[in-house]
Amino acid sequence: MTRVQQIMNDRCIQCHAAKPTYPGFASAPAGIALETPADILANPALIKQVTANKYMPLGNVTKMTDEEREFIAIWTP
Ligand code: HEC
């Protein structure tokens, strides 16, 4: 598993999955799942944008670190 996948697993898929585990979510918000490499490679620019401007994770409920945000920022998909 790549580092980016690991970060998505730790910080994003609670909500961004076909069947989210986060309370109150019935399906992937904004239609964006981040569970598989294909899911992640479908939206690299958006992933970079929303993690750089701290819009995601929503309210940072999953406690993404600045180091992880940095990694996503310099990641080459
Ligand atoms: C607590 C649940 C939750 C978590 C955790 C979460 N998201 Fe989201 N995400 C949402 C919701 C809800 C929306 C829809 C918000 C909206 O449309 O304004 C959203 C929307 C998005 C969008 C679409 C934004 C757009 O402009 O269309 C992207 C991309 C995204 N999230 C990426 C991520 C990434 C990457 C992570 C992990 C670093 C993450 N999200 C973690 C709930 C979450």
Side-chain angles (χ1 to χ4, degrees), residues 29-73:
I32 294 181
L34 297 170
E35 296 176 280
T36 67
D39 291 338
I40 295 167
L41 292 176
N43 289 296
L46 258 186
I47 292 170
K48 283 173 174 282
Q49 183 187 319
V50 298
T51 52
N53 67 16
K54 301 198 171 179
Y55 182 42
M56 291 289 142
L58 214 59
N60 204 14
V61 292
T62 51
K63 302 188 165 45
M64 188 174 206
T65 67
D66 287 343
E67 191 273 330
E68 288 168 336
R69 291 184 198 278
E70 237 352 85
F71 188 87
I72 301 287

Side-chain angles (χ1 to χ4, degrees), residues 13-43:
I13 64 166
Q14 297 81 353
C15 301
H16 289 279
K19 296 201 188 311
T21 55
Y22 200 83
F25 287 84
S27 60
I32 294 181
L34 297 170
E35 296 176 280
T36 67
D39 291 338
I40 295 167
L41 292 176
N43 289 296

